[in-house]
Amino acid sequence: MSRWGTLFTRLAPGRGEQPGSAPGEPDTTVLVDEYDGLTLLRATEQAVPGPQDAAELARSLGAEGGRTVATVVVGVDGPVPPGLWTRLGDVLDALRGNGTTTVRLVVSGAGSGTPDRPALAQRIADTWGLGVIAPEGNALLVPGGTLFVPDAPEPSGGWQLFQPGTEPTPLGARHPAPGWQTAFAALPEHTTAGHAVRPVPAGVLLQPPGTPPPVPGDLCYAVPVDAAHPTVLVGVPGRGGGARIPADDLAALLAALPAAVRDRIRVAPGAEGDLLPVVQEVTGALDIEVEVLTGPPLAVRAATPDDGDLAAGPVLVDITGRPTWRPYVEAVMCHPGSSGSSGGSGSSDEGAEAAAPRLLRWRSPVPDAQPQDAGVVRLSERWQVTMTRSGLALGPAGQPLPLTGRPVLADQLAVEIGPSDEPLDESCWTALSHVLDYLDPEAREYTVLHAPGRSAEESRMLRRLAVQHGVRMPWPPTAGADPEALPEPVGAEPPAPAGGDTPAPDGFTLYRDRIGGIVQAANAGRYDDATALATALEREAFTAHGSEHPTALQIRQIRAHVMRLAGHNALAADLYRRVAFSLLVTSGLDSVDAEQAAANADACWRDTGDIALALRIAPSIIALRQKLPGPDGSWLRAAERYRDQLDTAHAVAPAPELPSAVPVPVPAPTAPAAVVGPAPVIAPVVSVASVASGPGGSPATANQDLPVPVPAPTAPAAVVGPAPVIAPVVSVASVASG
């Protein structure tokens, strides 16, 4: 698939016009491309799907059944010339003559029909005596070369096999069908907590309640199909990612699958956020191992320019769904903690610690260095670089470093340099420069060097290297200056319960000692330590009290404040924004606490120094201000003005060139109707050409008079099919009626 954002023209059939071409008229309008077992017919050079898409599909399908199965793809970009239908008839004649028994017709809607008007695929099957595999809805070419029908009328529907004179056989939404397809088709449409379970090419997508179904162009359609490993994508961009899904819901979904399928599941975030804590709860609840990916596995081109094959690899995405950087730790295996599983609640026992995940797959940041161990590359006699889920860690050779710790952030590839008691000298600068030289170009804008506790001279050298290599370092704390005080809880004290009982302590009382440790680390400028402590406390509070409890929300605001002190304003803005939305749900539009959290989110957004990043998070802040617009809408208008200023100051950089799923457009015999515009920048889908579109853009059935090619005569005195030998193109109605 050519690139992100590709979407193709959908055409509607004309009225009162009978297409056709004069007998003997030369055919100069149809381009024919032949691949191994696949024929692409195109009306023009610009028609889609194009040769690159068809070649990828041909590589994926391969030579099947001793060449008894062939594939025909139709590409259009406007009105379909009559010669295309004539050429399709020639292709079908040739395939039948070569011994082909089944034709895969990649044309959207070719399998859709009604009782009184058979589908186009059925009519071709009856007329040519061939089996025809065709979609009964819109067809998509997914990166990696799989065909998918997103709008199948039944869970088992989508692609169908048509045979002469018989009812079609459903084959499922994906074609060729992976072995796990039947098990996934049997899953319910919603989880207990209301998350929607949507079929996507790679498996299923868990969407938050109230989220509209995905459409071609959404991120979930960019994930290639893995025939051996189905994927559960969790979350959609801009809706808090998958980190907020209840562990019970994910555990129930996995438990509903057959053991043979469940053992091969991969769980991946469908948006921003880290699923590791949730999956660790699930492994404890079910007492099983579960593979978790660091980001959604999108299709990326091979490193060798001459190799056109695609490979699926995790790519982190921000809150708008825009791809940012490829993690070096691609997948880990979560397994139950040493304390055992929980007692049926779906989450770990309060005292149980999650077991450290095991590294499964990783990629080296330095291709010319030899791996020393799993996830570790030796750079010199003294230094090594270790892969972490949040980025990389440079440290002394032979010293083990944790795989987890720092949070995984889409807007930051963290390069940690340590430990602080290890002096940094020329050998360190050489090793660090070697790593930075090989950074992926798209990752440089997100790379941040972290080296807390360093001397002034070491810090100056690190800043110099950061500038030379086009990466960043956090803003250092001002010497002798006290950081801002941690925010006090806003709002009135909760009323005392009846009977004179002591009120339940709030978060600041309940976790006073833990918060004191966070404050102490922040005051000392040890923001990495403060971040780790705040993140751990937030996770504990959410587990103990629930994600909407006032105590949990107070602790989340402490973490947000630490993020702001550490210079991570975009993340701080997102945390405050989530708190504000939660308070709006639990306390209503008049909540003073919600207004304060929204004001903090707004302020952190404005302090985001990266204009491109500020623009990417602007929609989420505007959405919050639409809920809390301020007096006469003044706060909302101010936010919109600031967004416009950002837009003027900086043009948003295009998304990285990643393969996309291609919607196959709908060919029409006459002039085009409305054109479906380009999809959002993250859009990943190629749509397949369709016989026509019905009202509202739905796939047409045989109710319209569409041209159907006529098979060639088998002998001079006999004609196969009902049409006269001089008529190269006839209508669907004439073939159907005989």
Side-chain angles (χ1 to χ4, degrees):
M1 315 319 138
S2 54
R3 56 187 220 109
W4 293 73
T6 307
L7 205 66
F8 298 98
T9 310
R10 181 173 291 145
L11 308 175
R15 298 285 184 241
E17 221 178 303
Q18 180 63 48
S21 57
E25 179 180 297
D27 178 11
T28 60
T29 60
V30 180
L31 302 174
V32 181
D33 298 281
E34 296 284 350
Y35 303 89
D36 186 16
L38 184 146
T39 302
L40 171 65
L41 303 180
R42 292 181 292 152
T44 67
E45 290 278 1
Q46 294 74 36
V48 289
Q52 183 178 355
D53 307 320
E56 184 178 321
L57 180 60
R59 285 194 300 269
S60 173
L61 296 175
E64 300 177 64
R67 298 189 178 276
T68 61
V69 179
T71 302
V72 179
V73 181
V74 177
V76 298
D77 65 343
V80 180
L84 187 144
W85 301 108
T86 306
R87 183 58 65 90
L88 176 58
D90 295 339
V91 170
L92 294 173
D93 288 337
L95 292 174
R96 183 179 61 177
N98 291 337
T100 297
T101 59
T102 304
V103 173
R104 184 183 295 105
L105 186 60
V106 186
V107 178
S108 288
S112 301
T114 62
D116 59 333
R117 293 282 192 177
L120 173 63
Q122 184 66 64
R123 286 174 273 146
I124 291 178
D126 293 339
T127 305
W128 267 268
L130 296 169
V132 180
I133 299 171
E136 57 178 328
N138 292 308
L140 307 178
L141 270 66
V142 181
T146 301
L147 298 164
F148 180 69
V149 175
D151 51 359
E154 299 292 336
S156 61
W159 292 87
Q160 297 191 93
L161 172 61
F162 295 84
Q163 296 284 5
T166 64
E167 291 295 316
T169 302
L171 302 178
R174 302 160 195 86
H175 185 75
W180 44 264
Q181 177 157 271
T182 301
F184 270 61
L187 289 173
E189 295 184 356
H190 292 87
T191 67
T192 304
H195 284 71
V197 182
R198 311 279 191 192
V200 294
V204 293
L205 168 69
L206 292 185
Q207 287 185 289
T211 308
V215 297
D218 285 350
L219 184 70
C220 58
Y221 289 121
V223 180
V225 174
D226 187 327
H229 297 278
T231 301
V232 176
L233 292 169
V234 183
V236 292
R239 297 297 183 105
R244 300 181 70 176
I245 183 173
D248 269 351
D249 275 20
L250 183 56
L253 186 146
L254 297 183
L257 292 168
V261 175
R262 183 169 58 243
D263 291 343
R264 292 180 282 127
I265 284 285
R266 289 172 176 166
V267 180
E272 78 282 3
D274 188 6
L275 285 180
L276 184 61
V278 174
V279 176
Q280 286 176 320
E281 288 189 53
V282 171
T283 59
L286 299 180
D287 196 26
I288 61 172
E289 291 190 337
V290 178
E291 180 178 344
V292 57
L293 305 184
T294 310
L298 306 178
V300 294
R301 295 290 174 192
T304 305
D306 296 334
D307 188 354
D309 290 342
L310 295 175
V315 179
L316 295 175
V317 296
D318 62 18
I319 59 176
T320 68
R322 182 180 185 270
T324 56
W325 59 280
R326 292 180 59 199
Y328 293 100
V329 171
E330 297 185 337
V332 297
M333 182 68 79
C334 293
H335 46 94
S338 57
S339 301
S341 59
S342 66
S345 64
S347 61
S348 302
D349 289 336
E350 196 165 329
E353 283 198 22
R358 183 177 76 253
L359 179 63
L360 280 185
R361 289 186 304 282
W362 59 285
R363 63 188 187 95
S364 173
V366 185
D368 63 352
Q370 289 298 321
Q372 175 179 328
D373 202 348
V376 180
V377 173
R378 189 73 170 261
L379 301 173
S380 67
E381 288 297 321
R382 185 175 172 187
W383 298 96
Q384 68 184 24
V385 62
T386 301
M387 313 313 118
T388 67
R389 298 187 73 246
S390 59
L392 302 168
L394 182 70
Q399 179 175 312
L401 295 172
L403 185 65
T404 60
R406 182 180 294 276
V408 178
L409 303 176
D411 61 353
Q412 182 180 134
L413 192 170
V415 179
E416 302 175 80
I417 303 162
S420 58
D421 58 355
E422 181 75 20
L424 306 183
D425 56 14
E426 188 63 34
S427 65
C428 176
W429 313 138
T430 301
L432 178 59
S433 294
H434 195 53
V435 172
L436 297 178
D437 281 339
Y438 281 103
L439 280 177
D440 298 331
E442 67 273 12
R444 289 188 183 276
E445 68 171 297
Y446 305 103
T447 302
V448 179
L449 305 184
H450 291 272
R454 292 298 170 185
S455 67
E457 181 60 32
E458 290 173 331
S459 296
R460 280 193 290 269
M461 190 61 194
L462 286 168
R463 286 196 294 271
R464 180 185 180 88
L465 286 175
V467 172
Q468 288 176 347
H469 290 276
V471 300
R472 294 178 290 150
M473 279 192 69
W475 186 264
T478 304
D482 292 330
E484 299 175 52
L486 287 166
E488 293 297 328
V490 180
E493 291 293 326
D501 293 337
T502 303
D506 65 11
F508 291 89
T509 302
L510 188 61
Y511 298 106
R512 181 181 301 277
D513 293 339
R514 303 278 294 279
I515 294 172
I518 297 171
V519 173
Q520 185 177 12
N523 287 345
R526 293 185 287 107
Y527 297 127
D528 291 347
D529 294 340
T531 297
L533 292 172
T535 302
L537 180 57
E538 179 192 40
R539 186 178 301 162
E540 180 179 320
F542 271 56
T543 300
H545 305 286
S547 61
E548 308 297 335
H549 193 277
T551 294
L553 297 179
Q554 286 176 338
I555 301 303
R556 169 159 281 180
Q557 291 188 81
I558 291 176
R559 181 187 167 208
H561 188 73
V562 171
M563 292 295 99
R564 185 176 187 183
L565 292 177
H568 307 312
N569 287 296
L571 178 57
D574 186 53
L575 291 170
Y576 280 125
R577 177 187 64 85
R578 296 187 197 184
V579 170
F581 272 119
S582 294
L583 290 170
L584 286 174
V585 172
T586 58
S587 304
L589 292 174
D590 296 328
S591 169
V592 177
D593 290 352
E595 290 183 0
Q596 180 64 49
N600 289 342
D602 200 326
C604 292
W605 170 51
R606 293 170 186 268
D607 285 344
T608 301
D610 187 328
I611 295 178
L613 178 58
L615 273 172
R616 290 200 294 272
I617 65 177
S620 64
I621 302 298
I622 299 297
L624 176 59
R625 279 306 184 197
Q626 288 171 344
K627 295 287 187 181
L628 295 168
D632 298 323
S634 58
W635 297 341
L636 172 59
R637 290 194 300 273
E640 290 172 337
R641 284 195 302 270
Y642 185 68
R643 176 202 57 195
D644 294 340
Q645 292 169 7
L646 291 171
D647 209 353
T648 302
H650 179 78
V652 178
E657 288 284 330
L658 289 178
S660 71
V662 181
V664 178
V666 183
T670 55
V675 174
V676 178
V681 72
I682 52 94
V685 182
V686 182
S687 177
V688 186
S690 177
V691 275
S693 63
S698 59
T701 66
N703 289 302
Q704 289 91 13
D705 286 337
L706 299 175
V708 175
V710 179
T714 55
V719 176
V720 177
V725 80
I726 61 168
V729 178
V730 295
S731 71
V732 167
S734 65
V735 172
S737 62

